[in-house]
Amino acid sequence: MRYGSFRRAISGRAAGLLATVVLLFCHVRAAEAMNASTLSIYNDWSGVPTGRLMDMGKDFDLRNSSDSALVCYSVVADRLRGNTLSKEEKHIYSRALNNIGYIYSTFIYDYPKSIEYLQEARKVADECGYKEGIVYANLNLGGIYLSCNVLYGNGLFQDDIYRYLDEALRQGIEFGEYDAALVSFINMGQLFFENAQPVAVRKAIQTLRGARIPQDNDFHGFALSQADGLEAYMRRDFTGAAECFRECIESIKPESMMAKRLENIALFSIAEAQKASRDYSGAIKTMEQVVASSEANGFDDDETSAYRTMAELHDLAGDTVKGNEYRFLHLKKKDSIISDQDMTMLARTPIAYELNQIKEDLYEEKIRRRFIISWAVALTVCLISLLLYVFTLVRSRRKMKTYINDLYLKNVELLKADQRERDRRAAEAADIVAGSDAASESGKYASSPISPEESRVIADRILMVMDDTGLISNPEFSLKDMADKIGCAPKVVSRVVNETLGKNFRSLLNEYRIREACARLLDTDRYGMYTVEHIAESVGFNSRSNFSVTFKKITGLTPAQFQQNARRHGE
């Protein structure tokens, strides 16, 4: 190579490199400007009602303003994500996720992110019974894997494609989403010639024929003719298959939005049938129609597949030179698509990143807010519980105080009644017979039965002795002392106390000692300076604990409670 030619070559490469750098710089600057604009739009639209945002997103979709549509749907998804949603809100959330996934796959070419959104959309739709959402999520997932299959080939995704499209077909028929069901079947038929799965296709055909789909559906006639062609192809009736696929073209409605794409699918199928019947020249002519239609309508995936098929057909026809030309066109177109997608991703990645960052920030904010709310609720519950406890405690103490006061007054009244009874007995009794008479009566009561009248007499004598507080306050006072005092045998005293007074001697003695203790606690002038222990000892109790238990059992109050009330009432 001459020096001048070499220099021109170097200059040309440098110019190309410089142009590439300038182009990348422009993309980055445009992306930064778009990123700032996107954040501003997101903030502006954050206050727009959810229903209005969904309508705006749909309108932007129809106008091919995918960036604005993406922002609308992202605001809705971020608003609803992580909250407890009603069934209707889950419907909207699933639709928003579905639309975001579609935009990521169709306009941003971020297939992993698209699959993530679509799978989430399908999960939410399944939770709330949103049938349409389930169908279209499966259809979109199948479409993504179908696009990947066209670009990367080798049947890497065929299992995923058949699985999602089959689910969309069955569920679309079940839920009445016939457009989605028929499009799923048509895509499955298109995939058959690249990655044949006869069992799956036969099952799909059987599902289609068993469905009651309205005859006026735009895709119904096409799908039925395609099913006939696929069955003929699998029977190796390639001529019949080609005729069925031509019928597919005749069934296309010109006003349909997918008319040109459906025609390409039918032409692909016709070419495959011609190739199988070794009519290579006919297949090449058919594929030339596909190439022309794809170039005219911007069907990049179809154009890529058409160049690959043309290369195979020319090789089979023996024209390897032509085959290599189309193989070169196939690789060139494929690289162009990937480059365009990469450039689109480069330009739009900041938008997607910013929206994803906003989503994460909002989610973290919701988590923090939920945490704060949870703590606030817990603290409020604790405070309310504490207030209720304090209120209940105060109320309980008031009730207890009132109860104790009432019980105290009742005991005071009982003491007054007891004092009156003592006075009565003192007035009625002239004297207690003692000495020899008592001894003779003791012997009498010990040896003979006691009449009721005699029991009452003895009982009165016992009670009169009990009225002698000085006597019964002696800790050593016993049943024998009582018997000696009234001139009866201890056995007789015990029997009279049990049968006439309804208690044993120890209980009767404790009762009178406690009454005396109550009287002394009431007499704050004489006994107010004494402790409970001193008063307990003064009425015959050797143990403070025994005194307290006995006092509580008889009066219903503790000695301290009784003493406090006595002092309060005495003020």
Side-chain angles (χ1 to χ4, degrees), residues 263-308:
E263 184 178 347
N264 272 7
I265 293 174
L267 289 172
F268 265 114
S269 301
I270 293 169
E272 290 291 340
Q274 291 170 330
K275 182 177 75 172
S277 63
R278 301 179 185 275
D279 181 9
Y280 302 128
S281 60
I284 290 171
K285 289 179 181 179
T286 302
M287 289 307 301
E288 286 174 350
Q289 297 180 56
V290 176
V291 171
S293 174
S294 299
E295 290 176 347
N297 294 287
F299 297 152
D300 291 337
D301 289 352
D302 287 355
E303 188 177 347
T304 305
S305 298
Y307 287 146
R308 185 180 70 242

Side-chain angles (χ1 to χ4, degrees), residues 42-43 204 235 327 357 398 456 470 489 511-512:
Y42 187 101
N43 292 330
R235 293 195 308 267
R327 193 168 288 107
Q357 190 63 42
R398 285 181 179 176
R456 281 194 293 273
E511 183 177 318
Y512 271 80

Side-chain angles (χ1 to χ4, degrees), residues 432-445 461 483-489:
I432 297 176
V433 180
S436 60
D437 292 337
S440 62
E441 286 185 3
S442 175
K444 172 185 174 184
Y445 292 140
R461 290 179 180 179
D484 292 343
K485 191 68 177 172
I486 65 173
C488 293

